[in-house]
Amino acid sequence: MVESVGPRFCGDERMRSATVHASAVLVGARAVLIRGASGAGKSRLALELLDAARDGRLRFARLVGDDRVHLESANGRLLVRPARPLAGLIELRGVGLLRRDYEPCAVVGWVVDLDAADAQRLPEQQTFELHGIKLPRLGLATRAAPLPAVIALITSMGAATAPQTA
């Protein structure tokens, strides 16, 4: 679900923005945008990415936002910010809200869809497009362990992967 908050202007650049039900984690220089229905495991995957950086499987990871994030296109990039009331908070189901360090803004580099209806066992490279910006997309099936696939996506595409504008 995307709620439009309307176009904004910054200098001569028109920026389009929306608030979405998703989580985001900065991994290296780019953020992973994690989408899925309530209970699909968005927060769990975000926590697993943070743990993967802590134990050395990833070089760096920091929470951007959990549950609701603000997306904004600017200068051919898709930016993600936490929803202000939730900044620095992440839910651990059965425990409650945890406070974590967070990034106030990051450039989205990848999109991960949990419980994706179009998930394939051996998918072709997929993309997600928003406001003319195309990003690599990974659609995962229900009950798939997302962390290994997400780490493989990130490490195979590299942190230098830039979004494409249509």
Side-chain angles (χ1 to χ4, degrees):
M1 180 174 127
V2 175
E3 296 173 18
S4 177
V5 292
R8 299 184 333 160
F9 293 89
C10 179
D12 293 330
E13 172 69 18
R14 183 179 176 140
M15 299 185 299
R16 290 185 259 173
S17 60
T19 300
V20 297
H21 184 74
S23 296
V25 175
L26 179 62
V27 178
R30 302 270 179 188
V32 178
L33 180 66
I34 306 164
R35 305 185 310 168
S38 181
K42 296 178 299 294
S43 299
R44 183 188 63 218
L45 177 56
L47 285 166
E48 288 174 349
L49 287 166
L50 297 174
D51 287 344
R54 193 172 18 259
D55 69 23
R57 289 178 286 163
L58 293 171
R59 285 185 162 190
F60 175 85
R62 180 166 288 162
L63 179 68
V64 176
D66 184 46
D67 191 46
R68 307 277 304 164
V69 295
H70 182 73
L71 296 176
E72 181 176 304
S73 62
N75 299 313
R77 300 178 307 161
L78 186 62
L79 305 177
V80 62
R81 301 175 197 278
R84 284 190 186 163
L86 301 174
L89 298 175
I90 187 166
E91 179 186 0
L92 179 56
R93 201 170 281 265
V95 174
L97 294 176
L98 305 174
R99 183 160 299 281
R100 293 290 182 260
D101 291 337
Y102 72 97
E103 289 292 322
C105 184
V107 177
V108 177
W110 306 276
V111 175
V112 174
D113 286 328
L114 302 177
D115 294 343
D118 64 345
Q120 300 171 9
R121 184 172 175 191
L122 300 171
E124 297 291 321
Q125 185 174 356
Q126 301 172 338
T127 59
F128 165 79
E129 183 174 340
L130 182 67
H131 303 309
I133 302 165
K134 290 183 182 180
L135 296 164
R137 175 188 176 264
L138 177 62
L140 295 171
T142 304
R143 293 189 213 101
L147 185 64
V150 172
I151 289 176
L153 174 71
I154 291 166
T155 57
S156 70
M157 305 216 47
T161 301
Q164 302 171 356
T165 53

